[in-house]
Amino acid sequence: NLDDIAGAISAIERGLQIDPHDVNLRAELAWILATGPDDAIRNGPRALELARGAVADSSGQSLKAREALAAALAETGDFSNAAATVRNLLDDPSAKVSEDARRRWTDELDRYLQHQPWTDARHAPGDVLDGSL
């Protein structure tokens, strides 16, 4: 529900006040702002800024940040770069993820190719096993 999402956003914002460069917190907040199920909490430009920073600070190693970047790109209407970002995830031999994660990435790619943003009721990129969760 919207109150739970608002609470999660508040908690992450407090964490970012303590450590504004925390890759995981920025990626998680970017994901929520880019994929939240309610338009009232979606904020593509902020999600894009957070995700780009998280990807840069992790030198592209955080799969969570890269997935959040794809979602943020789609939320801001940049579907071709969103699709390219997910394709890079799918093609990355170092991306050690579950089959569920690969299926989700494939589903995300399909949405972006149809020029549709991703909506995720889970509120966080799931079951990526790169140690960033």
Side-chain angles (χ1 to χ4, degrees), residues 32-80:
I32 293 169
L33 296 175
T35 69
D38 190 305
D39 287 343
I41 58 104
R42 287 173 92 109
N43 182 336
R46 176 115 194 273
L48 191 56
E49 175 187 341
L50 289 161
R52 281 185 170 146
V55 168
D57 284 356
S58 73
S59 300
Q61 298 303 303
S62 170
L63 300 178
K64 180 179 184 176
R66 290 165 58 193
E67 184 179 12
L69 176 60
L73 287 163
E75 179 62 18
T76 59
D78 188 352
F79 295 104
S80 71

Side-chain angles (χ1 to χ4, degrees), residues 27-129:
E28 186 146 338
L29 184 55
W31 181 261
I32 293 169
L33 296 175
T35 69
D38 190 305
D39 287 343
I41 58 104
R42 287 173 92 109
N43 182 336
R46 176 115 194 273
L48 191 56
E49 175 187 341
L50 289 161
R52 281 185 170 146
V55 168
D57 284 356
S58 73
S59 300
Q61 298 303 303
S62 170
L63 300 178
K64 180 179 184 176
R66 290 165 58 193
E67 184 179 12
L69 176 60
L73 287 163
E75 179 62 18
T76 59
D78 188 352
F79 295 104
S80 71
N81 280 322
T85 300
V86 174
R87 277 193 188 104
N88 286 337
L89 283 169
L90 287 164
D91 294 341
D92 186 342
S94 70
K96 306 295 185 216
V97 297
S98 69
E99 283 307 309
D100 285 344
R102 287 205 175 277
R103 277 193 293 277
R104 186 184 63 253
W105 289 348
T106 300
D107 291 346
E108 290 174 28
L109 177 59
D110 289 344
R111 290 289 298 263
Y112 303 154
L113 291 172
Q114 296 172 33
H115 290 212
Q116 296 176 341
W118 184 255
T119 300
D120 189 351
R122 291 175 300 119
H123 316 305
D127 64 33
V128 172
L129 303 177

